[in-house]
């Protein structure tokens, strides 16, 4: 029994990584048609991966073909908007996969074959393993008993969003941040416990890599007192006694970070660039409550086990005031930074992914407190762990069965889908409720029109309008049926709308169904046209939830960001009854257009 418990945390680490690998193979690689691996490189991952394809295959860094997700044009060359740390950690696996691809004449050698994309997934398993092993070694080094460490590892692996971004979305930055931060914390601890100071140089290089992956994670230096406690000042005194080591450490960290200015220079000829143009922080209006409690992506709603680390930060005061206060400061400051990002939920995805980077730090106060818990409280903690694991895995399954909405979850959708797994719940959620574009100086309403369809409108045009007693107001409604795919379209051209300024639409209307779900197949569409060509197109399911009442009027509303118009372009919004499969009526349409103020 003693031997088993001494190995428990190692066994759980290996089990979590094996489970992650199984999820990758079954959920991602296999998918529904055997080609799910093609989804490894998408969205943000395209930008990180873009560095590798550009440098090693196309050899066109600074002259890349346009890709709206990450390539930006500048007067002196194209610019990849992302920082390159994730690309650097992907590189070994990309090169292994590409070497295998070159040996197979049946696949394209464009960097996107099955070999490269599956190799990125294997890399995700390795970085998960290294991160968990480093975190395990750190917690054991802090004196936490084996059983607590084992439970924390299995809970992180199965009870948080780590499973999604290690097993399914290994092309995103979070598993790499998780790994490097775990290793950095372990190195700091080892140096404080008497390891040679040359390891400080390695720690500085790892810190540089952390910054290169995600610059705001430089705040990890605030976690040093959480690791060291009262040994923090003695370690700094010891380091300052060796100025040569300090200089080498600074040079090592700077050398890693310098990779980014070098890449900027190779792309545009400038040593400094800001790739996140038209994105940034709203320091004066952080969405703290939404980040923590929102049904869209709130940390404590989607990863409720994270309530325990926050609670333990306070409880730790009884045992170690330095670590308790340092933990509270670390969490509070990072929460502020995370909440201040203009899109506080960080786009589509499963749960609050941005906190994955901080898991290695947040579990330290929890582990130190639970180490002291007696049998009763430790039993309660393990029960909570099990419940959180069950909930997380259930919602993970829902997410990949398309039962949860990838972006616009809210309270009603959450309750409608809670622990529902039936086929009848797949693909049922819709709507569009996004935050405005980055607007540090606010927005101005530039155009607004409502119509009850009783008289002609200036911007709402077209559609079949009939006189009916069932109208929501007045006597006229817009009719959608087998013969009418399109109703009134809101259309405004550049000139009427300002050019060069990001737009934001607020849309509302009343919708009537004679029978519940009669409008299920209808979609909402936003588009930008230049003559007969479409330069921007986005669609979404019209209904937030499937209609559940017959003979019923209900309110539909959307909040939709749109790119800036250019001269000669026209913006449109309309509902589309695809293939005439839906039958419904619309009344009292409203649309307001906001434009981001210049900054």
């Amino acid at each position: 029994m003693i031997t088993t418990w001494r190995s428990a945390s190692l066994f759980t680490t290996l089990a979590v990584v094996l489970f992650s690998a199984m999820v990758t193979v079954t959920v991602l690689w296999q998918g529904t048609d055997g080609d799910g691996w093609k989804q490894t490189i998408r969205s943000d991952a395209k930008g990180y991966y873009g560095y590798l394809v550009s440098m090693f295959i196309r050899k066109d860094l600074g002259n890349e073909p346009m890709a709206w997700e990450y390539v930006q044009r500048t007067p002196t060359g194209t610019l990849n908007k992302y920082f390159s740390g994730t690309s650097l950690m992907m590189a070994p696996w990309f090169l292994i996969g590409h070497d295998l691809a070159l040996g197979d004449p049946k696949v394209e050698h464009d960097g996107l074959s099955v070999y490269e994309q599956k190799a990125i997934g294997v890399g995700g398993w390795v970085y998960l393993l290294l991160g968990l092993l480093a975190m395990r070694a750190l917690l054991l080094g802090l004196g936490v008993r084996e059983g607590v460490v084992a439970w924390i590892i299995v809970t992180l692996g199965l009870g948080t969003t780590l499973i999604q971004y290690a097993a399914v979305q290994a092309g995103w930055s979070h598993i790499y941040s998780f790994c490097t931060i775990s290793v950095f914390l372990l190195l700091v601890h080892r140096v404080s416990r008497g390891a040679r100071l040359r390891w400080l140089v390695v720690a500085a290089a790892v810190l540089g890599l952390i910054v290169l992956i995600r610059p705001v994670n430089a705040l990890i230096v605030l976690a040093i007192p959480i690791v060291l406690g009262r040994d923090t000042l003695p370690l700094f005194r010891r380091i300052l006694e060796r100025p040569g080591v300090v200089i080498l450490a600074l040079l090592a960290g700077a050398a890693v970070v310098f990779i980014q200015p070098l890449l900027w220079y190779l792309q545009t000829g400038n040593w400094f660039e800001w790739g996140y143009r038209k994105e940034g922080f709203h320091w004066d209006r952080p969405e703290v409550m939404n980040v923590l409690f929102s049904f869209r992506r709130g940390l404590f709603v989607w990863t409720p086990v994270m309530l325990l680390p926050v609670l333990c930060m306070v409880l730790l005061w009884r045992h170690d005031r330095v670590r308790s206060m340092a933990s509270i400061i670390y969490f509070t400051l990072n929460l502020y930074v995370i909440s201040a990002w203009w899109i506080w939920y960080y786009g589509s995805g499963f749960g609050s992914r941005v906190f994955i980077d901080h898991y290695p730090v947040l579990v330290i106060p929890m582990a130190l407190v639970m180490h002291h818990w007696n049998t009763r409280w430790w039993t309660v903690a393990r029960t909570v762990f099990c419940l959180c694991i069950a909930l997380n895995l259930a919602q993970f399954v829902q997410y990949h069965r398309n039962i949860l909405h990838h972006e616009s979850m809210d309270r009603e959708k959450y309750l409608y889908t809670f622990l529902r797994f039936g086929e009848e719940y797949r693909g049922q959620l819709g709507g569009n409720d996004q935050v405005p574009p980055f607007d540090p100086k606010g927005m101005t309403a530039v155009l607004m029109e409502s119509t009850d369809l009783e008289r002609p409108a200036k911007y709402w045009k077209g559609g079949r309008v009939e006189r009916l007693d069932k109208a929501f107001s007045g006597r006229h409604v817009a009719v959608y049926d087998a013969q009418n795919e399109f109703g009134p379209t809101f259309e405004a051209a550049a000139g009427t709308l300002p050019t060069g300024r990001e737009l934001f639409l607020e849309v509302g209307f009343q919708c009537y169904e004679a029978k519940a779900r009669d409008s299920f197949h209808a979609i909402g569409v936003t588009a930008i046209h230049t003559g007969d060509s479409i330069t921007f197109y986005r669609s979404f399911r019209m209904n937030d939830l499937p209609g559940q009442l017959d003979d019923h009027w209900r309110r539909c509303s959307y909040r939709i960001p749109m790119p800036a118009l250019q001269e000669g372009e026209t913006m449109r919004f309309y509902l589309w009854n695809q293939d005439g499969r839906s039958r419904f009526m619309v009344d009292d349409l409203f649309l307001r257009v906001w434009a981001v103020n210049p900054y």
Side-chain angles (χ1 to χ4, degrees):
M1 180 64 69
I2 293 176
T3 302
T4 301
W5 275 109
R6 284 178 179 174
S7 307
S9 62
L10 179 59
F11 291 151
T12 55
T13 298
L14 298 176
V16 164
V17 175
L18 178 61
F19 183 82
S20 177
M22 292 172 58
V23 169
T24 303
V25 173
T26 57
V27 175
L28 177 61
W29 291 356
Q30 182 176 337
T32 57
D33 56 4
D35 287 336
W37 55 268
K38 294 179 180 179
Q39 295 300 308
T40 302
I41 305 302
R42 58 183 176 85
S43 188
D44 290 5
K46 286 186 176 181
Y48 303 127
Y49 200 75
Y51 277 114
L52 302 174
V53 174
S54 176
M55 294 179 68
F56 293 107
I57 297 180
R58 295 197 310 262
K59 303 186 187 303
D60 59 358
L61 190 67
N63 296 285
E64 296 183 67
M66 284 305 298
W68 66 268
E69 297 97 336
Y70 69 96
V71 176
Q72 300 179 355
R73 287 194 177 99
T74 77
T76 53
T78 58
L79 175 67
N80 188 316
K81 67 175 277 189
Y82 291 102
F83 288 86
S84 59
T86 299
S87 308
L88 188 63
M89 296 193 72
M90 282 182 176
W93 308 98
F94 166 80
L95 293 173
I96 291 171
H98 189 56
D99 186 62
L100 294 172
L102 291 175
D104 187 347
K106 297 180 181 180
V107 302
E108 293 289 334
H109 299 155
D110 57 359
L112 294 172
S113 78
V114 61
Y115 296 102
E116 290 98 344
Q117 297 202 50
K118 285 189 175 181
I120 296 300
V122 174
W125 309 342
V126 173
Y127 290 126
L128 175 64
L129 175 62
L130 293 176
L132 290 176
L133 287 175
M135 191 183 71
R136 169 183 178 268
L138 172 62
L139 295 179
L140 291 175
L142 289 172
V144 180
R145 69 179 190 266
E146 182 81 26
V148 173
V149 176
W151 272 98
I152 286 177
I153 288 172
V154 75
T155 303
L156 276 188
L158 306 182
T160 73
T161 51
L162 182 61
I163 183 65
Q164 172 73 18
Y165 293 92
V168 183
Q169 291 183 247
W172 279 247
S173 68
H174 304 293
I175 188 59
Y176 308 103
S177 289
F178 175 84
C179 176
T180 52
I181 287 175
S182 295
V183 170
F184 173 75
L185 297 177
L186 176 62
L187 289 169
V188 169
H189 180 260
R190 291 290 171 84
V191 171
S192 74
R193 291 299 176 92
R196 293 184 179 182
L197 284 180
R198 65 187 181 187
W199 286 104
L200 184 67
V201 178
V202 179
V206 174
L207 177 60
L209 185 54
I210 290 169
V211 173
L212 198 61
I213 295 170
R214 195 177 183 88
V216 294
N217 283 348
L219 291 172
I220 192 62
V221 296
L222 297 178
I224 292 175
I226 304 175
V227 174
L228 303 184
R230 294 180 178 86
D231 293 332
T232 304
L233 290 180
L235 176 62
F236 276 100
R237 293 193 190 101
R238 179 184 165 209
I239 291 172
L240 292 176
E241 291 173 357
R242 298 283 298 277
V245 175
V246 173
I247 292 172
L248 285 176
L250 291 174
L251 290 175
V256 176
V257 174
F258 181 70
I259 293 173
Q260 190 60 57
L262 180 60
L263 288 171
W264 284 332
Y265 182 80
L266 293 174
Q267 292 176 91
T268 68
N270 299 318
W271 288 105
F272 179 80
E273 290 283 1
W274 178 245
Y276 288 85
R277 301 175 185 191
K278 299 183 179 180
E279 298 183 74
F281 294 92
H282 291 150
W283 299 113
D284 59 334
R285 38 193 159 123
E287 296 282 353
V288 174
M289 297 304 292
N290 275 328
V291 166
L292 293 179
F293 299 106
S294 170
F295 283 94
R296 182 193 292 268
R297 200 87 78 244
L299 174 65
F300 297 148
V301 173
W302 292 96
T303 316
V305 74
M306 282 294 113
L307 281 164
L308 287 176
V310 176
L311 172 64
C312 288
M313 291 176 193
V314 178
L315 297 178
L316 187 57
W317 184 264
R318 178 182 176 185
H319 304 288
D320 192 325
R321 294 188 176 185
V322 173
R323 286 191 170 102
S324 175
M325 183 57 66
S327 300
I328 293 171
I329 292 172
Y330 180 88
F331 180 74
T332 302
L333 187 54
N334 277 283
L335 174 61
Y336 170 67
V337 172
I338 289 169
S339 303
W341 187 245
W342 70 277
I343 183 168
W344 55 267
Y345 52 90
Y346 292 79
S348 62
F350 177 60
S352 186
R353 59 188 174 94
V354 71
F355 280 95
I356 294 172
D357 305 19
H358 305 283
Y359 286 172
V361 180
L362 298 181
V363 298
I364 294 174
M366 180 171 70
L368 292 173
V369 169
M370 291 184 178
H371 173 76
H372 295 283
W373 279 0
N374 58 31
T375 303
R376 183 180 63 178
W377 284 109
W378 179 228
T379 300
V380 171
R382 286 179 292 178
T383 302
V384 172
F385 286 156
C386 290
L387 291 173
C388 289
I389 289 171
L391 178 61
N392 184 71
L393 291 179
Q395 292 179 334
F396 177 80
V397 170
Q398 286 183 304
Y399 183 78
H400 287 282
R401 285 179 59 83
N402 194 26
I403 293 173
L404 303 178
H405 197 279
H406 65 282
E407 184 162 9
S408 296
M409 288 296 292
D410 55 30
R411 180 178 178 274
E412 288 72 24
K413 292 175 182 174
Y414 185 89
L415 295 177
Y416 175 78
T417 59
F418 187 68
L419 299 184
R420 306 291 177 86
F421 301 95
E423 191 68 25
E424 67 272 20
Y425 289 95
R426 296 184 70 166
Q428 301 298 299
L429 304 183
N432 195 331
D433 182 19
Q434 301 183 61
V435 298
F438 178 53
D439 58 331
K441 295 190 176 179
M443 299 185 298
T444 300
V446 294
L447 186 63
M448 179 180 69
E449 184 175 68
S450 59
T451 176
D452 58 5
L453 303 176
E454 299 304 307
R455 60 193 61 81
K458 186 175 182 180
Y459 300 106
W460 287 102
K461 304 174 182 178
R464 174 184 161 197
V465 176
E466 291 189 1
R467 181 183 175 92
L468 294 174
D469 291 336
K470 284 186 175 293
F472 183 80
S473 66
R475 291 297 182 89
H476 290 84
V477 297
V479 177
Y480 297 77
D481 55 25
Q483 289 74 44
N484 294 277
E485 288 190 36
F486 301 99
T489 296
F490 187 94
E491 182 175 311
T496 301
L497 295 174
T499 57
R501 295 164 63 182
E502 307 290 304
L503 303 177
F504 185 63
L505 311 185
E506 291 181 333
V507 185
F509 57 89
Q510 297 289 339
C511 178
Y512 172 85
E513 296 174 309
K515 294 182 180 179
R517 300 176 63 87
D518 269 357
S519 63
F520 178 74
H521 296 288
I523 63 174
V525 175
T526 53
I528 296 177
H529 294 251
T530 303
D532 293 331
S533 64
I534 299 176
T535 56
F536 173 87
Y537 181 92
R538 292 287 183 278
S539 64
F540 54 91
R541 188 179 296 282
M542 185 185 84
N543 294 329
D544 288 303
L545 293 168
Q548 300 178 59
L549 295 175
D550 295 338
D551 193 18
H552 180 68
W553 282 98
R554 55 188 170 79
R555 178 74 172 171
C556 295
S557 60
Y558 314 120
R559 290 157 49 87
I560 311 168
M562 294 192 69
L565 289 182
Q566 307 302 321
E567 292 293 339
E569 292 185 331
T570 299
M571 184 275 290
R572 292 175 183 166
F573 171 83
Y574 55 91
L575 302 176
W576 182 12
N577 178 20
Q578 294 185 92
D579 303 323
R581 289 184 292 175
S582 295
R583 290 166 175 77
F584 61 99
M585 297 183 294
V586 165
D587 200 357
D588 287 12
L589 299 102
F590 166 84
L591 193 147
R592 179 189 287 119
V593 184
W594 298 82
V596 172
N597 294 332
Y599 56 91

